[in-house]
Amino acid sequence: MSSVKYWIATISKEHTQRGVNGGFIQVCHGKQAPLKRMKKGDYLIVYSSKISMEGNEKCQTFTAIGKVKDDEVYQFQMTENFKPFRRNIDFIECSESSIIPLINDLEFIPNKKSWGYPFRFGFFEIKENDFNLIASKILQNENV
């Protein structure tokens, strides 16, 4: 069995809530390639830099955590012209946690002054110790 990987997806808080309610994520404006990098059993944390995709209201919070449910990447017809790719996620009940107190301890943020830079990619892999640190802040008596 291949080893578990840990991922961060940058998704607005509004869209994260839709995904949690529906048990799925879509990333990078519905692209397939990032989702194909995940495998069943991998873990995902969602970071929301903003409340809504269109708005400018900052959130800067980890808003969801879950485990990749299966190996399926599928398309979903949202509108006549938009058919994004999605991935099924078993979300774990959690509370939200601001990134601000964690910045200095997160390895995936090499430049602490420009800490938001890694999130511009929309989806990326992190190390297990970064995952565990974030999970320890957002999970309440849950075991992953």
Side-chain angles (χ1 to χ4, degrees):
M1 193 179 124
S2 63
S3 60
V4 171
K5 291 188 174 180
Y6 305 89
W7 305 92
I8 285 190
T10 306
I11 305 171
S12 73
K13 183 175 176 176
E14 236 171 47
H15 285 180
T16 299
Q17 201 51 57
R18 267 188 232 157
V20 168
N21 292 343
F24 69 88
I25 61 158
Q26 62 190 50
V27 299
C28 304
H29 307 288
K31 289 187 175 66
Q32 179 183 27
L35 296 178
K36 288 180 89 171
R37 293 171 58 198
M38 292 191 292
K39 300 281 181 262
K40 179 181 178 181
D42 283 0
Y43 285 97
L44 170 82
I45 289 176
V46 178
Y47 172 74
S48 299
S49 60
K50 299 191 300 180
I51 299 294
S52 68
M53 193 170 85
E54 300 78 21
N56 291 321
E57 190 181 346
K58 287 180 181 178
C59 185
Q60 298 180 333
T61 302
F62 293 106
T63 50
I65 187 169
K67 192 173 188 177
V68 180
K69 190 173 190 168
D70 53 38
D71 285 317
E72 186 186 357
V73 176
Y74 60 93
Q75 275 188 293
F76 180 82
Q77 189 87 45
M78 281 188 73
T79 67
E80 189 180 327
N81 301 318
F82 187 48
K83 199 172 175 187
F85 286 90
R86 290 183 171 180
R87 192 81 198 240
N88 292 320
I89 303 292
D90 279 325
F91 284 100
I92 301 162
E93 195 172 322
C94 70
S95 55
E96 297 177 3
S97 180
S98 169
I99 189 174
I100 305 301
L102 303 179
I103 292 169
N104 285 330
D105 297 318
L106 291 169
E107 280 184 51
F108 71 84
I109 302 175
N111 181 343
K112 307 305 182 189
K113 282 190 173 43
S114 301
W115 61 266
Y117 185 77
F119 299 105
R120 295 176 62 122
F121 297 103
F123 183 82
F124 56 94
E125 187 178 352
I126 61 171
K127 292 182 178 167
E128 185 177 7
N129 53 337
D130 279 349
F131 173 85
N132 288 337
L133 174 63
I134 298 164
S136 75
K137 301 297 181 197
I138 65 175
L139 290 176
Q140 301 170 328
N141 306 318
E142 294 281 343
N143 293 321
V144 285

